Amino acid sequence: GDSVTQMEGPVTLSEEAFLTINCTYTATGYPSLFWYVQYPGEGLQLLLKATKADDKGSNKGFEATYRKETTSFHLEKGSVQVSDSAVYFCALSENTGNQFYFGTGTSLTVIP
Amino acid sequence: DTEVTQTPKHLVMGMTNKKSLKCEQHMGHRAMYWYKQKAKKPPELMFVYSYEKLSINESVPSRFSPECPNSSLLNLHLHALQPEDSALYLCASSQSERYEQYFGPGTRLTVT
Protein backbone atom coordinates (compact mmCIF):
# COMPACT_ATOMS: atom_id res chain seq x y z
CA GLY A 1 0.00 0.00 0.00
CA ASP A 2 0.88 3.67 -0.14
CA SER A 3 3.17 5.09 2.53
CA VAL A 4 5.47 7.96 3.43
CA THR A 5 8.86 7.66 5.12
CA GLN A 6 10.41 10.67 6.79
CA MET A 7 13.85 11.14 8.24
CA GLU A 8 14.08 10.59 11.96
CA GLY A 9 14.38 13.54 14.25
CA PRO A 10 14.80 15.53 16.26
CA VAL A 11 16.86 17.96 14.22
CA THR A 12 18.66 20.85 15.90
CA LEU A 13 20.16 23.64 13.80
CA SER A 14 21.70 27.01 14.42
CA GLU A 15 19.95 30.06 13.04
CA GLU A 16 20.77 30.70 9.35
CA ALA A 17 21.79 27.07 8.76
CA PHE A 18 20.60 25.11 5.73
CA LEU A 19 17.74 22.71 6.33
CA THR A 20 16.93 19.44 4.59
CA ILE A 21 14.24 17.05 5.81
CA ASN A 22 14.08 13.89 3.73
CA CYS A 23 10.81 12.35 2.61
CA THR A 24 10.32 9.36 0.34
CA TYR A 25 7.08 7.76 -0.66
CA THR A 26 5.60 4.54 -1.98
CA ALA A 27 2.53 4.80 -4.17
CA THR A 28 0.82 2.70 -6.79
CA GLY A 29 -0.45 5.65 -8.83
CA TYR A 30 0.40 9.31 -9.23
CA PRO A 31 -0.07 10.91 -5.84
CA SER A 32 -0.08 14.52 -4.75
CA LEU A 33 2.55 15.37 -2.13
CA PHE A 34 2.43 17.85 0.73
CA TRP A 35 4.43 19.28 3.57
CA TYR A 36 2.60 20.36 6.70
CA VAL A 37 4.01 22.25 9.69
CA GLN A 38 2.72 22.06 13.25
CA TYR A 39 3.79 24.71 15.75
CA PRO A 40 3.53 23.86 19.45
CA GLY A 41 -0.06 23.75 20.67
CA GLU A 42 -1.53 24.29 17.20
CA GLY A 43 -3.09 22.35 14.34
CA LEU A 44 -1.34 21.45 11.11
CA GLN A 45 -0.76 24.14 8.51
CA LEU A 46 -0.27 23.37 4.84
CA LEU A 47 3.23 24.57 3.99
CA LEU A 48 3.50 23.58 0.34
CA LYS A 49 2.31 21.05 -2.20
CA ALA A 50 3.12 19.46 -5.55
CA THR A 51 0.65 17.56 -7.67
CA LYS A 52 2.79 16.04 -10.41
CA ALA A 53 6.32 14.96 -11.18
CA ASP A 54 8.93 17.76 -11.37
CA ASP A 55 6.58 20.27 -9.74
CA LYS A 56 8.28 22.46 -7.15
CA GLY A 57 6.24 23.67 -4.22
CA SER A 58 7.46 26.73 -2.33
CA ASN A 59 6.29 28.92 0.52
CA LYS A 60 7.93 31.11 3.19
CA GLY A 61 11.41 30.24 1.91
CA PHE A 62 10.75 26.49 2.01
CA GLU A 63 10.92 24.41 -1.17
CA ALA A 64 10.34 20.80 -2.18
CA THR A 65 10.49 19.16 -5.61
CA TYR A 66 8.40 16.14 -6.58
CA ARG A 67 10.95 13.61 -7.90
CA LYS A 68 9.25 10.60 -9.43
CA GLU A 69 12.51 8.88 -10.35
CA THR A 70 13.66 8.81 -6.72
CA THR A 71 10.14 8.85 -5.20
CA SER A 72 11.18 11.74 -3.01
CA PHE A 73 9.86 15.11 -1.85
CA HIS A 74 12.60 16.53 0.36
CA LEU A 75 11.96 19.79 2.20
CA GLU A 76 14.67 22.47 2.05
CA LYS A 77 15.24 25.96 3.35
CA GLY A 78 18.35 27.98 2.77
CA SER A 79 18.46 29.85 6.07
CA VAL A 80 16.34 28.77 9.03
CA GLN A 81 15.07 31.06 11.75
CA VAL A 82 14.15 30.42 15.36
CA SER A 83 10.51 30.86 14.35
CA ASP A 84 10.81 27.78 12.08
CA SER A 85 11.02 25.54 15.15
CA ALA A 86 8.12 23.12 14.73
CA VAL A 87 7.22 19.60 13.67
CA TYR A 88 7.15 18.98 9.92
CA PHE A 89 5.00 16.26 8.34
CA CYS A 90 5.31 14.95 4.81
CA ALA A 91 2.02 13.63 3.40
CA LEU A 92 0.66 11.89 0.33
CA SER A 93 -2.77 11.85 -1.23
CA GLU A 94 -3.75 9.22 -3.76
CA ASN A 95 -5.11 10.64 -6.99
CA THR A 96 -7.94 8.11 -7.15
CA GLY A 97 -8.59 7.11 -3.58
CA ASN A 98 -9.68 8.90 -0.50
CA GLN A 99 -6.76 8.40 1.85
CA PHE A 100 -4.15 10.77 3.17
CA TYR A 101 -0.91 9.22 4.40
CA PHE A 102 1.29 11.11 6.86
CA GLY A 103 4.92 10.53 7.65
CA THR A 104 5.95 10.20 11.27
CA GLY A 105 6.96 13.85 11.56
CA THR A 106 10.34 15.52 12.09
CA SER A 107 10.84 17.87 15.00
CA LEU A 108 13.04 20.86 14.19
CA THR A 109 14.56 23.13 16.80
CA VAL A 110 16.46 26.21 15.67
CA ILE A 111 18.75 27.80 18.25
CA PRO A 112 19.93 31.42 18.13
CA ASP B 1 -10.04 32.32 3.56
CA THR B 2 -8.67 28.91 4.52
CA GLU B 3 -9.94 28.80 8.08
CA VAL B 4 -11.34 25.84 9.91
CA THR B 5 -12.61 26.63 13.38
CA GLN B 6 -12.97 24.21 16.28
CA THR B 7 -14.63 24.55 19.65
CA PRO B 8 -13.88 24.18 22.44
CA LYS B 9 -10.13 24.73 22.49
CA HIS B 10 -9.75 22.68 25.66
CA LEU B 11 -12.07 20.11 27.24
CA VAL B 12 -11.77 18.14 30.46
CA MET B 13 -14.36 15.43 30.98
CA GLY B 14 -14.98 12.53 33.27
CA MET B 15 -15.48 9.01 32.03
CA THR B 16 -19.25 9.21 32.51
CA ASN B 17 -19.75 12.56 30.79
CA LYS B 18 -21.22 13.28 27.37
CA LYS B 19 -19.72 16.12 25.41
CA SER B 20 -19.41 17.26 21.80
CA LEU B 21 -16.65 18.76 19.71
CA LYS B 22 -17.60 21.13 16.93
CA CYS B 23 -15.93 22.04 13.67
CA GLU B 24 -16.92 24.59 11.04
CA GLN B 25 -15.60 25.66 7.65
CA HIS B 26 -16.90 28.18 5.12
CA MET B 27 -14.66 27.35 2.18
CA GLY B 28 -17.31 25.35 0.35
CA HIS B 29 -15.34 22.16 0.94
CA ARG B 30 -17.24 18.92 0.48
CA ALA B 31 -15.02 16.60 2.50
CA MET B 32 -14.47 16.88 6.26
CA TYR B 33 -12.35 14.78 8.57
CA TRP B 34 -11.76 13.97 12.23
CA TYR B 35 -8.28 13.01 13.37
CA LYS B 36 -6.84 12.04 16.73
CA GLN B 37 -3.28 13.07 17.49
CA LYS B 38 -1.17 11.88 20.39
CA ALA B 39 1.93 13.76 21.47
CA LYS B 40 4.86 13.51 19.05
CA LYS B 41 2.84 11.37 16.61
CA PRO B 42 1.20 12.07 13.25
CA PRO B 43 -2.57 12.52 13.09
CA GLU B 44 -4.59 9.29 12.95
CA LEU B 45 -7.66 9.36 10.75
CA MET B 46 -10.93 8.60 12.53
CA PHE B 47 -13.76 9.58 10.18
CA VAL B 48 -14.27 11.07 6.73
CA TYR B 49 -17.44 12.72 5.49
CA SER B 50 -17.82 13.28 1.79
CA TYR B 51 -20.81 15.29 0.57
CA GLU B 52 -22.27 14.96 4.07
CA LYS B 53 -22.15 11.17 4.02
CA LEU B 54 -19.82 9.08 6.16
CA SER B 55 -17.36 7.52 3.75
CA ILE B 56 -14.62 6.25 6.07
CA ASN B 57 -14.83 5.01 9.64
CA GLU B 58 -11.44 3.74 10.69
CA SER B 59 -12.65 1.16 13.21
CA VAL B 60 -13.17 3.80 15.84
CA PRO B 61 -14.84 2.72 19.12
CA SER B 62 -18.55 3.50 19.35
CA ARG B 63 -17.94 5.91 22.21
CA PHE B 64 -17.00 8.34 19.42
CA SER B 65 -19.97 9.28 17.25
CA PRO B 66 -19.59 11.67 14.31
CA GLU B 67 -22.32 13.81 12.83
CA CYS B 68 -22.39 16.07 9.79
CA PRO B 69 -25.49 18.30 10.03
CA ASN B 70 -24.62 20.17 6.83
CA SER B 71 -21.73 20.73 4.50
CA SER B 72 -20.14 23.36 6.75
CA LEU B 73 -20.43 21.66 10.12
CA LEU B 74 -18.97 18.55 11.66
CA ASN B 75 -19.52 17.31 15.19
CA LEU B 76 -17.90 14.58 17.24
CA HIS B 77 -20.04 13.31 20.09
CA LEU B 78 -18.18 11.78 23.00
CA HIS B 79 -19.59 9.39 25.60
CA ALA B 80 -18.04 7.14 28.22
CA LEU B 81 -14.48 7.91 27.16
CA GLN B 82 -11.39 6.32 28.63
CA PRO B 83 -8.26 8.10 29.89
CA GLU B 84 -6.35 6.78 26.86
CA ASP B 85 -8.68 8.85 24.68
CA SER B 86 -6.96 11.98 25.95
CA ALA B 87 -5.39 13.61 22.88
CA LEU B 88 -5.59 16.53 20.46
CA TYR B 89 -8.61 16.13 18.19
CA LEU B 90 -8.19 17.78 14.83
CA CYS B 91 -10.80 18.62 12.26
CA ALA B 92 -9.86 19.16 8.62
CA SER B 93 -11.62 19.92 5.37
CA SER B 94 -10.77 19.67 1.68
CA GLN B 95 -12.34 20.49 -1.65
CA SER B 96 -12.91 16.79 -2.11
CA GLU B 97 -11.19 13.70 -0.87
CA ARG B 98 -7.98 13.77 -2.89
CA TYR B 99 -7.14 17.44 -2.41
CA GLU B 100 -5.04 19.16 0.24
CA GLN B 101 -6.59 19.28 3.67
CA TYR B 102 -6.90 22.37 5.83
CA PHE B 103 -6.78 21.80 9.55
CA GLY B 104 -8.36 23.54 12.48
CA PRO B 105 -6.42 24.38 15.64
CA GLY B 106 -7.71 21.32 17.45
CA THR B 107 -9.43 20.54 20.73
CA ARG B 108 -7.16 19.39 23.54
CA LEU B 109 -9.20 16.69 25.31
CA THR B 110 -8.35 15.34 28.75
CA VAL B 111 -10.36 12.43 30.16
CA THR B 112 -10.12 12.05 33.92
Side-chain angles (χ1 to χ4, degrees), chain A residues 32 34 36 38 41-44 46 49 89 93-100 102-104, chain B residues 9 35 37 40-43 45 55-56 58 88 90 97-105:
Chain A
S32 295
F34 310 91
Y36 283 85
Q38 186 173 31
E42 298 185 11
L44 278 69
L46 178 65
K49 68 176 183 179
F89 292 97
S93 171
E94 299 172 328
N95 65 340
T96 55
N98 53 14
Q99 280 278 30
F100 229 69
F102 284 96
T104 52
Chain B
K9 192 172 176 62
Y35 287 88
Q37 187 181 29
K40 302 187 187 302
K41 298 290 187 183
L45 184 64
S55 68
I56 293 180
E58 290 286 356
L88 181 67
L90 294 164
E97 286 179 82
R98 59 176 285 257
Y99 289 87
E100 63 270 21
Q101 295 181 19
Y102 293 90
F103 285 79

Side-chain angles (χ1 to χ4, degrees), chain B residues 6-51:
Chain B
Q6 288 187 246
T7 55
K9 192 172 176 62
H10 300 278
L11 178 62
V12 179
M13 60 185 291
M15 290 190 284
T16 58
N17 290 160
K18 285 186 182 182
K19 297 285 185 184
S20 296
L21 309 185
K22 297 187 183 303
C23 174
E24 190 167 7
Q25 58 88 13
H26 293 289
M27 295 178 277
H29 288 172
R30 304 317 300 261
M32 296 186 77
Y33 311 78
W34 280 116
Y35 287 88
K36 173 183 178 180
Q37 187 181 29
K38 290 282 207 179
K40 302 187 187 302
K41 298 290 187 183
E44 298 173 33
L45 184 64
M46 301 174 72
F47 302 104
V48 180
Y49 274 84
S50 181
Y51 291 84

Side-chain angles (χ1 to χ4, degrees), chain B residues 54-71:
Chain B
L54 185 63
S55 68
I56 293 180
N57 175 346
E58 290 286 356
S59 302
V60 178
S62 60
R63 57 186 184 268
F64 295 91
S65 174
E67 178 195 19
C68 188
N70 61 55
S71 60

Side-chain angles (χ1 to χ4, degrees), chain A residues 20-84:
Chain A
T20 300
I21 301 178
N22 290 340
C23 172
T24 56
Y25 67 90
T26 302
T28 52
Y30 301 93
S32 295
L33 300 171
F34 310 91
W35 276 101
Y36 283 85
V37 58
Q38 186 173 31
Y39 298 101
E42 298 185 11
L44 278 69
Q45 296 178 27
L46 178 65
L47 184 57
L48 53 83
K49 68 176 183 179
T51 58
K52 61 184 188 297
D54 300 326
D55 267 3
K56 177 186 280 190
S58 61
N59 186 24
K60 300 181 182 179
F62 291 91
E63 292 184 341
T65 301
Y66 187 161
R67 302 278 189 207
K68 190 168 184 296
E69 63 276 14
T70 54
T71 63
S72 65
F73 192 55
H74 305 321
L75 183 68
E76 297 183 336
K77 187 176 186 184
S79 175
V80 293
Q81 305 300 311
V82 172
S83 56
D84 294 326

